[in-house]
């Protein structure tokens, strides 16, 4: 159910020291999308209309990335990392202008599901002023604990370092995801102080402060796997692994067959139709769409490509951005296709480079054909029209056009347009000297030592 008038503030100002990287943590990727992008996508899917991102100083690249996922995203800079409440207050002007629900999300939990955020919204709808998403941690060390009273109401969140031994027995931990439907959220946030072990302004303190104003808090829980936080590259790889499993399962449940699913790598936005078969060791970068009944054979690499229904790709094929294959197309081993439209039933079965151009319906591109698209300065277009036949080992020097139904003889270097239904062949005349080889061998044998 889409949520009306919700603002999501994504906290991304953390230094991410343990990543040991020049790249801010939110810009590291899993499944072809940044960690920030994943979290933003979850908020968008949950129906949150407004997004704000809190970044650290010198994180212009994070701000730029946020705009790619939603161009209205507001970003705010937290100048010093003084805690999660301070981070949320960096977005003070967004909070002042906003009258609906407010969510706080962390930029490093990409496995969160939008359905879970909708459950949080439902809890607000049912009357809680603050809803905190929790989970039963296998090892709760380091997490804030969710403390509840006999009636099940959330009474406080205690950070690990500030908790008593008894409070530490609580297994229910704070995920960091919090939602607010408070009459004056800013007034509550302004009451938060930093008298704690880390001397930080903890957003989690808001639960006790709200309680003093008779505002209620509720904890709801979800699976720990959804809340896997990323702090280092080992956890990044772990999250990638889990996310890939999820993508593959979704694809298989939607009717795709994977012979060895654990060897297939998909992107966050891969679209796979029904009765598609994917053989082992296939990689799909962002923006790939595979239509029904297509066969992607082993060891193929695809990115930014559309594969039409019933097409056959690979083994060992490479489809690069702008490869637009309509139905029944064959692209075979060691064929690279970049920025080329291929019409229905067109074929390039072996060892070819097709870059910048088009191949018409039913046209056949022979083995070893090269579209010579680059003159060292600019890229040019090659057009092969419907039903044309390009013989093996031909070089089509762009810009050039092969007319409908035309033939290009094997081994030609095509520098001029070829009219429809004609034959073009560019080749030195064949010379045959009968008996020459035998004579040559005899001559040379006299010189043998
Ligand atoms: C936080 C929670 C803890 C919870 C845990 C879950 C608080 C006080 N504690 O602790 O209850 O169990 O997450 O992982 O909220 N950030 C900023 N600016 C800051 C500090 C943090 O933007 O000044 C951002 C970070 O980039 C990160 C998020 O807030 O995305 C969480 O910060 P982190 O330092 O990881 O909090 P924890 O100590 O893990
Ligand atoms: Mg953390």
């Amino acid at each position: 159910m889409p949520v009306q008038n919700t603002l999501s503030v994504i906290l991304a100002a953390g230094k991410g020291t343990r990543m040991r990287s020049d790249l801010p943590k939110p810009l590291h990727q899993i499944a072809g999308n940044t960690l920030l992008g994943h979290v933003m996508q979850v908020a968008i899917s949950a129906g949150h209309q407004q997004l704000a991102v809190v970044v650290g100083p010198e994180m212009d690249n994070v701000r730029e990335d946020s705009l790619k996922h939603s161009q209205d995203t507001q970003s705010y800079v937290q100048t010093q990392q003084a805690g999660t409440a301070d981070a949320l207050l960096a977005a003070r002007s967004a909070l002042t202008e906003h009258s609906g629900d407010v969510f706080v999300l962390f930029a490093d939990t990409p496995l969160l599901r939008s359905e879970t955020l909708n459950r949080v919204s439902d809890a607000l709808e049912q009357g809680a002023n603050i809803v905190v998403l929790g989970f039963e941690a296998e090892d709760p060390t380091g997490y804030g604990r969710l403390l509840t009273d006999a009636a099940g109401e959330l009474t406080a969140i205690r950070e690990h370092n500030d908790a008593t031994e008894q409070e530490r027995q609580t297994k229910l931990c704070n995920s960091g995801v919090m939602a607010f439907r408070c009459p004056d959220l800013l007034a509550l946030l302004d009451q938060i102080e930093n008298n704690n072990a880390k001397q930080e302004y903890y957003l989690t303190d808001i639960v006790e402060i709200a309680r003093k104003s008779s505002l209620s808090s509720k904890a709801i829980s979800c699976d720990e796997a959804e809340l896997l936080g990323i702090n280092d590259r080992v956890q990044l790889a772990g999250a990638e692994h889990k996310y890939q499993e999820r993508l593959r399962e979704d694809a298989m449940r939607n009717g795709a067959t994977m012979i060895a699913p654990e060897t297939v790598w998909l992107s966050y936005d891969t679209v796979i139709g029904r009765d598609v078969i994917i053989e082992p060791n296939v990689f799909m970068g962002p923006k790939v769409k595979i239509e029904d009944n297509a066969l992607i054979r082993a060891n193929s690499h695809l990115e930014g490509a559309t594969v039409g229904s019933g097409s056959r790709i690979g083994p060992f094929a490479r489809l690069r951005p702008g490869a637009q294959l309509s139905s029944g197309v064959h692209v075979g081993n060691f064929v690279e296709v970049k920025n080329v439209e291929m019409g229905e039933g067109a074929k390039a079965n072996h060892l070819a480079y097709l870059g910048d151009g088009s191949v018409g319906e039913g046209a056949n591109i022979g083995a070893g054909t090269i579209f010579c698209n680059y003159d060292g300065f600019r890229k040019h277009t090659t057009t092969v029209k419907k039903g044309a036949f390009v013989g093996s080992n031909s070089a089509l020097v762009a810009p050039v056009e092969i007319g409908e139904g035309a033939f290009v003889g094997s081994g030609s270097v095509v520098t001029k347009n070829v009219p429809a239904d004609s034959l073009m062949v560019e080749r030195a005349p064949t010379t045959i000297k009968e008996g020459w080889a035998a004579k040559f061998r005899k001559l040379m044998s006299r010189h043998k030592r």
Side-chain angles (χ1 to χ4, degrees):
M1 180 192 66
V3 186
Q4 292 307 304
N5 198 19
T6 297
L7 163 71
S8 252
V9 183
I10 300 167
L11 306 188
K15 285 204 179 74
T17 322
R18 281 173 284 168
M19 295 300 284
R20 296 185 185 277
S21 175
D22 293 337
L23 195 66
K25 184 162 76 174
L27 297 186
H28 283 264
Q29 297 195 354
I30 64 166
N33 197 8
T34 60
L35 300 181
L36 176 64
H38 281 285
V39 176
M40 289 183 68
Q41 209 54 55
V42 172
I44 292 166
S45 302
H48 298 187
Q49 297 85 351
Q50 290 184 60
L51 300 180
V53 178
V54 177
V55 300
E58 292 166 27
M59 282 197 195
D60 269 359
N61 45 3
V62 178
R63 191 178 54 77
E64 279 161 24
D65 185 68
S66 75
L67 295 172
K68 285 186 204 154
H69 308 288
S70 169
Q71 56 186 14
D72 303 323
T73 311
Q74 296 292 323
S75 53
Y76 300 89
V77 178
Q78 183 193 22
T79 40
Q80 275 199 333
Q81 288 170 269
T84 43
D86 182 70
L88 180 56
L89 278 169
R92 182 182 286 275
S93 60
L95 299 175
T96 313
E97 285 157 23
H98 183 77
S99 57
D101 297 343
V102 174
F103 272 66
V104 173
L105 309 175
F106 292 170
D108 62 359
T109 49
L111 300 180
L112 189 64
R113 289 182 186 269
S114 57
E115 293 81 359
T116 306
L117 291 189
N118 288 336
R119 283 204 295 123
V120 173
S121 293
D122 290 345
L124 288 178
E125 198 59 47
Q126 285 156 16
N129 297 102
I130 299 176
V131 178
V132 179
L133 183 63
F135 63 99
E136 295 277 342
E138 206 170 297
D139 175 12
T141 313
Y143 288 114
R145 307 297 207 285
L146 301 185
L147 309 179
T148 48
D149 65 13
E153 182 156 329
L154 180 66
T155 53
I157 307 177
R158 196 76 71 230
E159 288 307 299
H160 182 87
N161 289 338
D162 302 294
T164 63
E165 263 319 306
Q166 199 200 348
E167 287 169 338
R168 285 184 186 175
Q169 298 307 310
T170 312
K171 282 265 193 294
L172 189 61
C173 293
N174 175 26
S175 70
V177 173
M178 295 176 93
F180 305 95
R181 185 176 283 187
C182 300
D184 193 352
L185 176 59
L186 275 171
L188 299 176
L189 289 172
D190 283 331
Q191 291 175 51
I192 294 176
E193 291 174 4
N194 67 346
N195 44 11
N196 52 50
K198 278 168 122 184
Q199 296 202 311
E200 282 189 356
Y201 294 88
Y202 289 164
L203 179 57
T204 45
D205 285 353
I206 198 168
V207 170
E208 280 170 288
I209 292 169
R211 202 171 156 79
K212 286 184 199 135
S213 308
S214 307
L215 298 172
S216 65
S217 298
K218 191 177 174 193
I220 64 166
S221 61
C222 80
D223 188 8
E224 184 174 7
E226 243 184 86
L227 299 163
L228 191 83
I230 290 162
N231 297 303
D232 60 31
R233 311 239 189 180
V234 176
Q235 288 171 329
L236 184 72
E240 177 83 64
H241 180 76
K242 287 235 156 52
Y243 200 83
Q244 289 295 333
E245 266 177 1
R246 198 191 270 185
L247 290 172
R248 292 188 295 248
E249 270 183 39
D250 287 349
M252 290 186 280
R253 288 192 202 290
N254 284 327
T257 293
M258 293 184 187
I259 297 166
E262 64 286 359
T263 68
V264 174
W265 198 94
L266 304 174
S267 277
Y268 72 105
D269 59 352
T270 308
V271 178
I272 303 177
R274 273 166 75 97
D275 292 316
V276 165
I277 298 176
I278 303 176
E279 291 185 353
N281 299 323
V282 169
F283 179 97
M284 309 217 196
K287 297 196 175 76
V288 169
K289 183 177 182 207
I290 300 176
E291 293 173 357
D292 297 352
N293 297 302
L295 170 63
I296 312 296
R297 304 202 59 199
N299 300 302
S300 294
H301 188 288
L302 297 80
E303 52 189 327
T306 300
V307 177
S309 57
S311 291
R312 275 179 21 204
I313 306 305
F316 295 97
R318 180 162 184 213
L319 301 185
R320 290 174 51 201
Q324 300 284 328
L325 279 44
S326 61
S327 53
V329 168
H330 292 184
V331 171
N333 39 218
F334 306 106
V335 174
E336 176 180 346
V337 182
K338 190 248 343 185
N339 191 26
V340 166
E341 280 180 34
M342 294 183 75
E344 200 176 326
K347 289 181 186 148
N349 273 329
H350 336 263
L351 302 152
Y353 172 60
L354 315 181
D356 299 310
S358 59
V359 177
E361 204 181 308
N364 188 89
I365 306 290
T369 297
I370 305 289
F371 284 12
C372 309
N373 58 333
Y374 187 48
D375 60 13
F377 298 92
R378 287 171 303 162
K379 300 279 169 70
H380 302 279
T381 303
T382 301
T383 308
V384 176
K385 297 275 202 180
K386 184 175 165 182
F389 183 96
V390 178
S392 297
N393 201 29
S394 298
L396 311 186
V397 183
V400 75
E401 181 176 308
I402 313 298
E404 197 171 316
F407 264 66
V408 172
S410 294
S412 298
V413 176
V414 187
T415 53
K416 295 193 174 89
N417 290 348
V418 180
D421 289 325
S422 47
L423 167 70
M424 179 277 167
V425 61
E426 190 246 29
R427 201 183 284 161
T430 305
T431 307
I432 295 180
K433 295 185 177 174
E434 284 191 24
W436 182 93
K439 272 190 222 157
F440 179 70
R441 265 193 299 274
K442 203 170 162 192
L443 177 73
M444 295 311 279
S445 66
R446 283 194 214 132
H447 299 294
K448 254 191 189 161
R449 293 193 182 160

